[in-house]
């Protein structure tokens, strides 16, 4: 037996499969871990990955005595670097056993690769865009992860710090339940906001799910690009990125929880995209869409008891018009009806005070915290 760690770049089909399968073994007995879709993970190695045109990636495996003990992906997000005039290397998909020597070997290899590319900073966990899993869990290890999140064991933070990484920014996550007292004022503000701005909530029932998404997708992406451009980790969407995201999410969208507000010309001015919580369904199939797994997933999408907040956006010119009250009122109605047990907010930047202030309308409990780390690497 030896304690030495060997780092290899995952290039062959077998190595790439091992890169995707390693966390499934690492978290096999962890009840809070929710795997990503296996097919989506394998796609990142192919030309079908929409980010291949704008990003460069490297994938490393850590081996000890021929057995995988860790993994990490590095991403050069050229769009982000050009937009912010930075020379950053993102890391993501970091998983390892509780051994600092393994983490150090992985990050050393990643940092050496970044230096050769002329980069001066490593940050993460961050994916290709902020619509990927991001942030290291540092509080809330006893809660089930959502599909949109990456779970990690509690020792990961010590590994990060042991490799010389420090906090850059945190995200907070909340569980929202029905308010303890009915808020009549919120309903009146929502109704008045629509009336004054001559807006309407689209009736999703008049469309099939595909027709609904096809009709309003461009407006939704316009809202995302305009509202999220200043936030940490975001990048503009190319047409191929939009198509990939729609393909990935179409199966798990329940149109009832895609709330769209339009003006008189049917232009999207605001939307809220919520995903039915189906983490437990994916746990049983290891992230694979087997026939049984697909049936469980579709049942969870049709009749969820928990709903995850994905994206909420209001065009800047309407942000002072009270439109957010419409979204909050719709969420309150779902909770008060008993149809939904609670909402999971997923990631809210700790600096985004406007979003955080909205949760006062609910019985809100902050139950998780995630962190993005940073380290300067010298040539």
């Amino acid at each position: 037996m030896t304690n030495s760690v060997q780092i290899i770049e995952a290039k062959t089909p077998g190595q790439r499969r091992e890169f995707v399968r390693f966390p499934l073994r690492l978290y096999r007995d962890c009840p809070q871990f929710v795997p990503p879709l296996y097919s989506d993970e394998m796609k990142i190695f192919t030309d079908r990955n929409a980010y291949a045109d704008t990003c460069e990636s490297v994938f490393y495996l850590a081996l000890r005595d021929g057995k995988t003990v860790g993994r990490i992906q590095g991403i050069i997000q050229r769009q982000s670097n050009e937009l912010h005039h930075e020379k950053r290397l993102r890391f993501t998909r970091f998983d390892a056993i509780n051994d600092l020597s393994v983490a150090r070997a992985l990050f050393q290899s990643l940092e050496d690769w970044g230096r050769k590319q002329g980069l001066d900073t490593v940050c993460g966990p961050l994916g290709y865009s902020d619509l990927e899993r991001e942030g290291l869990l540092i509080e809330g290890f006893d809660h089930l992860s959502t599909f949109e999140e990456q779970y990690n064991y509690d020792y990961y933070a010590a590994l990060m710090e042991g490799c010389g990484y420090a906090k850059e920014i945190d995200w907070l996550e909340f569980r929202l339940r029905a308010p303890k007292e009915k808020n009549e004022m919120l309903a009146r503000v929502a109704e008045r906001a629509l009336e004054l701005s001559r807006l309407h909530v689209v009736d999703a029932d008049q469309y099939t799910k595909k027709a609904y998404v096809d009709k309003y997708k461009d407006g939704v992406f316009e809202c995302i690009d305009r509202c999220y451009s200043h936030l940490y980790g975001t990048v503009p969407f190319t047409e191929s990125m939009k198509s990939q995201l729609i393909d990935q999410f179409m199966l798990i969208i329940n149109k009832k929880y895609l709330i769209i507000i339009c003006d008189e010309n049917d232009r999207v001015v605001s939307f809220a995209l919520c995903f039915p919580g189906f983490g437990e369904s994916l746990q049983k199939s290891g992230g694979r869409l087997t026939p049984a797994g697909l049936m469980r997933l579709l049942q969870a999408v049709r009749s969820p008891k928990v709903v995850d907040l994905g994206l909420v956006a209001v065009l800047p010119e309407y942000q002072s018009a009270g439109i957010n009250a419409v979204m909050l009122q719709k969420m309150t109605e779902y909770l008060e009806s008993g149809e939904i047990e609670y909402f999971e907010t997923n990631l809210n930047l700790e600096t985004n005070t406007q979003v955080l202030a909205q949760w006062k309308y609910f019985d809100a409990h902050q139950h998780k915290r995630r962190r993005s780390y940073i380290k300067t690497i010298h040539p």
Side-chain angles (χ1 to χ4, degrees):
M1 294 289 290
T2 176
N3 289 322
S4 64
V5 179
Q6 177 190 9
I7 302 297
I8 64 170
E9 187 175 348
K11 290 184 175 181
T12 70
Q15 290 166 345
R16 291 171 172 178
R17 286 193 296 270
E18 177 64 11
F19 186 92
V20 173
R21 290 172 180 170
F22 171 67
L24 302 180
R25 296 197 303 273
L26 185 66
Y27 292 95
R28 180 178 293 142
D29 299 320
C30 177
Q32 294 84 19
F33 175 74
V34 173
L37 286 174
Y38 185 84
S39 57
D40 286 347
E41 290 297 280
M42 291 303 299
K43 188 186 294 184
I44 64 176
F45 301 107
T46 72
D47 292 338
R48 292 184 296 124
N49 180 7
Y51 296 97
D53 294 336
T54 57
C55 299
E56 186 174 351
S57 291
V58 66
F59 304 87
Y60 289 119
L61 288 170
L63 307 179
R64 178 178 285 153
D65 297 322
K67 180 181 177 181
T68 303
V69 289
R71 69 167 192 169
I72 198 168
Q73 178 188 359
I75 298 174
I76 303 176
Q77 204 345 318
R78 291 192 292 270
Q79 279 183 300
S80 179
N81 281 346
E82 291 169 6
L83 185 65
H84 299 290
H85 308 290
E86 295 173 333
K87 296 180 179 180
R88 288 194 170 205
L89 171 62
R90 299 181 175 195
F91 74 87
T92 184
R93 295 175 173 85
F94 166 64
D95 288 292
I97 63 172
N98 189 8
D99 187 323
L100 184 56
S101 66
V102 172
R104 282 177 173 167
L106 283 167
F107 277 100
Q108 185 64 58
S109 296
L110 188 68
E111 291 162 13
D112 288 345
W113 183 80
R115 290 187 189 95
K116 291 177 182 177
Q117 311 305 315
L119 306 178
D120 58 21
T121 304
V122 182
C123 62
L126 286 172
Y128 296 104
S129 76
D130 70 320
L131 295 188
E132 282 214 315
R133 295 178 169 199
E134 58 189 357
L136 194 81
L137 187 66
I138 59 171
E139 293 176 8
F141 300 101
D142 55 339
H143 292 282
L144 178 71
S145 182
T146 67
F147 171 70
E148 298 84 12
E149 300 172 334
Q150 177 65 43
Y151 185 83
N152 58 262
Y153 288 125
D154 58 2
Y155 61 78
Y156 275 43
L159 295 182
M160 293 299 310
E161 292 160 11
C163 293
Y165 286 79
K167 171 186 173 179
E168 181 168 29
I169 199 166
D170 280 4
W171 292 270
L172 308 179
E173 300 179 46
F174 296 81
R175 187 166 281 179
L176 309 178
R177 299 183 185 273
K180 294 178 180 178
E181 296 183 6
K182 194 172 183 66
N183 190 334
E184 301 289 353
M185 178 63 74
L186 183 62
R188 289 196 294 270
V189 171
E191 183 179 0
R192 188 64 172 157
L194 291 174
E195 181 182 338
L196 288 176
S197 298
R198 298 180 180 179
L199 305 175
H200 63 277
V201 179
V202 177
D203 180 9
D205 289 339
Q206 63 182 310
Y207 302 99
T208 64
K209 180 167 72 172
K210 185 178 186 307
Y212 187 43
V213 172
D214 285 346
K215 182 176 177 62
Y216 293 105
K217 62 184 180 182
D218 291 336
V220 165
F221 279 113
E222 180 190 358
C223 281
I224 295 174
D225 276 339
R226 291 186 61 189
C227 299
Y228 282 70
S229 60
H230 65 289
L231 296 180
Y232 180 82
T234 60
V235 293
F237 291 104
T238 64
E239 291 304 313
S240 58
M241 290 178 196
K242 294 176 184 178
S243 297
Q244 178 168 302
L245 287 167
I246 291 170
D247 289 343
Q248 285 179 335
F249 291 128
M250 182 63 79
L251 180 66
I252 60 176
I253 288 176
N254 181 327
K255 64 181 181 178
K256 182 174 185 177
Y257 304 113
L258 172 53
I259 305 165
I260 295 175
I261 299 175
C262 292
D263 65 13
E264 294 172 299
N265 299 314
D266 218 25
R267 179 197 179 201
V268 178
V269 303
S270 179
F271 79 93
L273 174 58
C274 306
F275 298 108
F278 54 87
E280 293 180 357
S281 301
L282 283 179
Q283 284 181 318
K284 297 176 182 177
S285 61
R288 294 177 182 270
L289 290 182
T290 62
L294 181 59
M295 291 297 294
R296 286 192 296 266
L297 186 149
L298 292 176
Q299 177 59 34
V301 169
R302 283 193 297 266
S303 305
K305 297 304 293 180
V306 177
V307 171
D308 305 336
L309 298 187
L311 293 167
V312 180
V314 181
L315 288 180
E317 56 266 37
Y318 288 93
Q319 288 179 1
S320 60
I323 304 305
N324 62 317
V326 180
M327 302 299 187
L328 297 173
Q329 176 60 23
K330 293 290 288 185
M331 292 169 60
T332 299
E333 290 173 0
Y334 290 139
L335 291 169
E336 291 180 337
S337 70
E339 174 183 335
I340 300 299
E341 183 179 345
Y342 59 84
F343 283 92
E344 287 268 2
T345 67
N346 282 321
L347 284 70
N348 300 162
L349 282 168
E350 62 181 349
T351 55
N352 196 341
T353 54
Q354 284 185 313
V355 168
L356 296 176
Q358 296 181 120
W359 309 146
K360 67 183 179 183
Y361 294 103
F362 303 90
D363 179 9
H365 170 61
Q366 188 222 317
H367 63 310
K368 297 178 189 174
R369 179 184 290 265
R370 292 178 178 276
R371 179 161 296 168
S372 183
Y373 289 82
I374 191 168
K375 180 181 179 180
T376 300
I377 55 174
H378 300 287

